[in-house]
Amino acid sequence: MKELSFTFLALASAMLSNVSSAARGVLSKKTMSGKKIGENLDAQNLYAILTAMSTIIMIPFMLAFEGTGMFKACGDLVASGKFTRRSIFTLLGFGSASYYAYNEVAFLALGKVNPVTHAVGNTIKRVVIIAASAVAFTTPMSTGSIIGSSIAIFGTLLYSLAMNATKKQIAEAGKIVEKGNSSPDFKVTSHVSVHHRFLSGKG
């Protein structure tokens, strides 16, 4: 087994997948963080609704591009004697359930963190999967794969450092504001300002 060859179509498809995944996370987070739009519309139910809607939308495209090729492929596997119809559908069922559970856990995590953090975590997750697959299946990684994985890991590190620095600055700014609010000079200035606005008819 060796690494697949590079194509620009594959690159464009991967980038479109990344952008779509990030957009889904941002819009889903906005829906979960906004006003109530439905009863019991938490992260699990929101993902269930999105999955049902996407399935209904994609079925016509699947039939248009693939047709009944999936059923023919299943028949060829059964004819080869490697699998039975029951084992094929059992594997499909387990695979579908596992993928659904994985995405539901991802949506639960999205409900707890910032969507950008979630997108960065999703990116580093793919790097971990690539590295684990290379080790498990003894697949040699090309120079391009190593460079790409290193860039993703380094980018995640920079994002983590930037997030920590931002949180530290926000905490320090909050302490300064809190200290200013509790100072006597601030209270006197605020009182005079309010009194002046009241006398001038602006308050």
Side-chain angles (χ1 to χ4, degrees), residues 123-124 127 130 141-155:
T123 301
I124 197 64
V127 175
I130 292 173
M141 294 182 65
S142 65
T143 304
S145 298
I146 296 174
I147 293 175
S149 301
S150 301
I151 291 174
I153 295 172
F154 184 66

Side-chain angles (χ1 to χ4, degrees), residues 17-36:
S17 175
N18 288 332
V19 172
S20 301
S21 178
R24 184 191 69 171
V26 171
L27 295 176
S28 299
K29 181 69 173 182
K30 185 177 180 181
T31 301
M32 287 186 284
S33 302
K35 63 181 180 180
K36 186 176 181 180

Side-chain angles (χ1 to χ4, degrees), residues 48-69:
I49 292 174
L50 290 177
T51 301
M53 292 174 61
S54 61
T55 301
I56 294 173
I57 293 172
M58 291 304 298
I59 285 177
F61 289 96
M62 183 270 293
L63 293 176
F65 287 101
E66 297 290 339
T68 58

